[in-house]
């Protein structure tokens, strides 16, 4: 199960840490100034997902790479158009004469469109960008696939959906065969939809399709992070296309309903609007996040009441 920790306090800029249970794998969503984010956590982040580069979402990027330099690891950075130039500018603004070229490697994935992801590498000490390839998917590792929607915030703002890999369960009580390596072979055939694969069990050959009834697929947990976006139908159609039936979504709810005119001017969302789109997406659980820094705890409570009223219809 993916575990989420919001690392920013009420009047701090947003930053969210996603942990993969029972592993040392962490993902970071946005790099606002967040006092709850520890150096140890930063050093275990393998991928950073930037929604957009307004200062409240990107100000702490320097603090992130400061504690990653020297790890010798490859860290992936995903973000909107021109993210590669903005990361390059931040890195080149410092002097790195004491840093070895193997100290770290950043792989930057620039989201140009849903089908076009430009992949760059950048390394110390000179931090020269190299375009490696263009691909049609954003991110995948042994734990998750990451989908996304490009939303309008008067600039591209990327909303991310982390989906755990599906798992396959073997129903032991439905089988009269002895356990053996055939079970893993059958699971592989099932995952690859290879119904013609021959499986040997107790000296008898079977087609995989004859044994598929012993297995079932468990859909992976789906976790969404939707940052700044304007309240408009085009954004909502994009959100629905990616986040429908998600298990848990954290969604920007910057303004109170009474301040929704500010939301319109600043291309942000407000409490009941964010709650309603989560209801429309039929997500199982939704959490409002990223409130205006001018708000008090009482204001936050007002936002949450309006949000959940709209979410629960």
């Amino acid at each position: 199960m993916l575990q989420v920790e919001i690392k920013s306090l009420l009047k701090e800029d947003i930053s969210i840490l996603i942990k993969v249970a029972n592993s040392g794998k962490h993902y970071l969503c946005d790099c606002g100034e967040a006092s709850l984010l520890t150096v140890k956590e930063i050093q275990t982040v393998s991928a950073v997902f930037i929604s957009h580069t307004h200062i409240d979402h990107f100000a702490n990027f320097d603090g992130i790479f400061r504690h990653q330099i020297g790890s010798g690891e490859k860290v992936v950075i995903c973000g909107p158009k021109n993210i590669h130039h903005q990361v390059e500018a931040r890195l080149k603004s410092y002097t790195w004469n004491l840093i070895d070229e193997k100290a770290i490697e950043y792989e930057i994935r620039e989201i140009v469109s849903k089908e076009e992801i430009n992949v760059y590498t950048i390394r110390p000490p000179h931090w020269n960008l190299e375009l490696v390839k263009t691909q049609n998917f954003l991110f995948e590792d042994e734990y998750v696939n990451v989908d996304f929607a490009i939303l309008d915030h008067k600039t591209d703002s990327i909303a991310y959906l982390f989906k755990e890999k599906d798992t396959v369960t073997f129903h032991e009580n439905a089988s009269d065969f002895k356990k053996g390596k055939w079970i893993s072979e059958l699971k592989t055939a099932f995952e690859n939809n290879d119904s013609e694969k021959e499986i040997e069990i107790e000296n008898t050959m079977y087609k995989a399709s004859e044994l598929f009834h012993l297995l079932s697929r468990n859909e992976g947990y789906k976790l969404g992070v939707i940052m700044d976006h304007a309240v408009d139908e085009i954004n909502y159609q994009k959100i629905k296309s990616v986040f429908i039936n998600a298990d848990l979504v954290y969604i920007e709810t910057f303004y109170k309903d009474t301040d929704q005119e500010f939301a319109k001017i600043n291309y942000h969302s407000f409490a009941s609007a964010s709650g309603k789109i989560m209801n429309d997406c039929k997500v199982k659980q939704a959490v409002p996040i990223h409130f205006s820094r001018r708000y008090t705890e009482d204001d936050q409570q007002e936002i949450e009441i309006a949000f959940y009223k709209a979410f629960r219809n």
Side-chain angles (χ1 to χ4, degrees), residues 84 97 159 171 279:
H84 57 305
N97 60 300
H171 300 288
N279 178 277

Side-chain angles (χ1 to χ4, degrees), residues 24 82 89 95 123 144 173 191 199 203 247 256 285 312:
N82 295 317
T95 301
R123 301 178 182 86
V144 298
N173 295 335
E191 291 171 344
I199 308 290
N203 299 318
D247 294 285
K256 301 188 295 184
Q285 184 180 359
R312 294 169 181 150

